[in-house]
Every structure is written in structure tokens, then in C-alpha cells.
Amino acid sequence: DAGITQSPRYKITETGRQVTLMCHQTWSHSYMFWYRQDLGHGLRLIYYSAAADITDKGEVPDGYVVSRSKTENFPLTLESATRSQTSVYFCASMDSGANVLTFGAGSRLTVL
Amino acid sequence: EDQVTQSPEALRLQEGESSSLNCSYTVSGLRGLFWYRQDPGKGPEFLFTLYSAGEEKEKERLKATLTKKESFLHITAPKPEDSATYLCAVQAVRVQGAQKLVFGQGTRLTINP
């Protein structure tokens, strides 16, 4: 299916565990982004990538790791999850010639 | 630092009752201002991009306008299916780096039948 896919859609984990959220897009867009959405804070940028093997920090990068070995994939890893990382995570992509973000459906993560 | 403030946080209207949502922004050189719609349990969906003061865009019952300091999303004769959270975002002019968007907290709009 064409588009941007996030998995898992729902995840419950425990404090200290490693969690990886996956993001896959089928358009070959250059840019990919990870946002988290929390009540009272709106959407905040965690990390972004301008192309394969190029990543950079956003507004709230602490506790997260990203990689982009292939253009279509942009996984987000929480190396040691904390309760404050309970949130809804959105992946988005954008073509280099445009400026419109297309979002995935989101991954709801609960850290107990 | 780029900032976006949306008001009100929540708005409840009767079907057919027109109103406006506000987005105030501070950015060092505006490249674009964006409006997104977000339904519960889904990702934001693009509505409009505005680039310069005075510009207006329309789509069905929605019209977005832009000044040098704020944007309005006008909703005319809304229907229950217009109920959603509306997000505003700005993109600053940058010489280098990815074209990041900074989002406001959103306005949760409810249209009662």
C-alpha cells in the first residue's frame, strides 16, 4: 500500500526496556520526521532526517536514537524507556521539492 | 525561537454557527504557515499553506487568512463532520537544515447537530 506506515500502533512496555517504533514510506521522500504529541505540548519534533544516513536533533531528542540506512525507513528507538516517554508518536515525510508533511497514523506508547 | 500559539484551546459550536480559530506566530522569516486537521486516533492531515500576508485559501467551509503576525481559520456554517482538532504550524526560512515545522497546541472544535 502506498503511503506512510507506522508500527506498532499500540505498545505497552516497562521502564528501562528498549523499544523501537518503525516508520516506512513508499514515496521515496527525502525528509522524514519523528514527532511526539502530548496534551498541553502539541506536536514536538524529536529527530529528523534529510536523506539516508543524515539525521539531526529536533526540539526534544534526549532518550531517543534514530537511524536511516534506507530512504524509506526511519526507526525511532527508546534505548531505556522512561514514564515521561509515554506519548503518541507520529512519523512524517516530506518531498525535498515541497513543504507539506504527510503523517502516519501514529504509535501510542505507554511506559509503565 | 519560533513560536506558535493557538486560541481558543477548545470551541463548541452549533451546526451552522460560523466562527474563527486564531493562530499567532513569532518566526524569524516566514517561509510558510500551515493548517492541518487531526481526527481522534489519526495523524494530522494537510489543509492549507499560506506564504505571505494578505493571502487567503479556501476549501469547502474553511477559509484561511494570513497577516504578518497571525492566521485565522474561518469556518462558515459548519457541520458535525467538521469536528476535529485544527493545528497551525510555521516553517521558518533557513539557509541550511531541513525545513522543520513548529506546531501550535491546536484548537479542538466540536460542532453539535
Side-chain angles (χ1 to χ4, degrees):
Chain A
D1 289 338
I4 184 164
T5 306
Q6 292 186 234
S7 62
R9 291 293 315 279
Y10 303 93
K11 176 75 176 178
I12 299 174
T13 191
E14 294 177 338
T15 301
R17 296 213 179 225
Q18 183 180 79
V19 176
T20 296
L21 305 180
M22 305 300 293
C23 180
H24 174 79
Q25 52 109 352
T26 60
W27 297 299
S28 298
H29 284 170
S30 298
Y31 291 102
M32 295 189 75
F33 304 81
W34 275 106
Y35 284 88
R36 61 178 288 175
Q37 188 173 41
D38 305 286
L39 281 174
H41 289 282
L43 282 162
R44 291 181 291 174
L45 182 64
I46 304 171
Y47 268 96
Y48 64 95
S49 169
D53 298 322
I54 301 175
T55 62
D56 207 346
K57 296 177 181 179
E59 181 186 355
V60 288
D62 292 344
Y64 302 95
V65 174
V66 293
S67 61
R68 189 140 179 235
S69 57
K70 293 183 178 181
T71 300
E72 62 266 31
N73 296 323
F74 191 39
L76 176 74
T77 298
L78 290 66
E79 292 191 309
S80 179
T82 65
R83 289 196 182 92
S84 64
Q85 293 177 309
T86 292
S87 186
V88 181
Y89 292 86
F90 286 100
C91 178
S93 70
M94 182 174 71
D95 187 31
S96 61
N99 56 9
V100 173
L101 288 174
T102 302
F103 286 86
S107 295
R108 181 177 292 276
L109 176 68
T110 301
V111 183
L112 301 177
Chain B
E1 183 179 335
D2 305 333
Q3 287 191 326
V4 179
T5 302
Q6 293 187 246
S7 62
E9 288 186 14
L11 181 63
R12 189 178 295 270
L13 300 172
Q14 290 298 121
E15 184 173 0
E17 181 184 0
S18 301
S19 188
S20 297
L21 313 182
N22 177 264
C23 171
S24 297
Y25 65 90
T26 303
V27 65
S28 55
L30 181 69
R31 179 183 170 98
L33 184 140
F34 303 81
W35 283 98
Y36 284 80
R37 170 190 170 128
Q38 186 175 22
D39 293 303
K42 296 187 177 181
E45 183 178 324
F46 171 74
L47 290 173
F48 303 109
T49 308
L50 302 166
Y51 295 102
S52 57
E55 188 175 0
E56 299 182 352
K57 293 272 181 75
E58 285 190 66
K59 180 179 180 180
E60 295 181 357
R61 295 174 292 282
L62 300 177
K63 183 169 80 172
T65 62
L66 181 65
T67 72
K68 289 187 177 180
K69 294 184 177 181
E70 57 191 351
S71 177
F72 292 94
L73 185 65
H74 306 278
I75 302 175
T76 302
K79 298 182 179 182
E81 53 262 43
D82 295 322
S83 297
T85 296
Y86 291 86
L87 303 173
C88 173
V90 296
Q91 186 182 51
V93 173
R94 294 278 186 266
V95 176
Q96 293 180 334
Q99 303 305 316
K100 297 177 286 184
L101 269 63
V102 175
F103 284 83
Q105 295 183 16
T107 293
R108 188 173 66 255
L109 177 66
T110 304
I111 308 299
N112 295 318

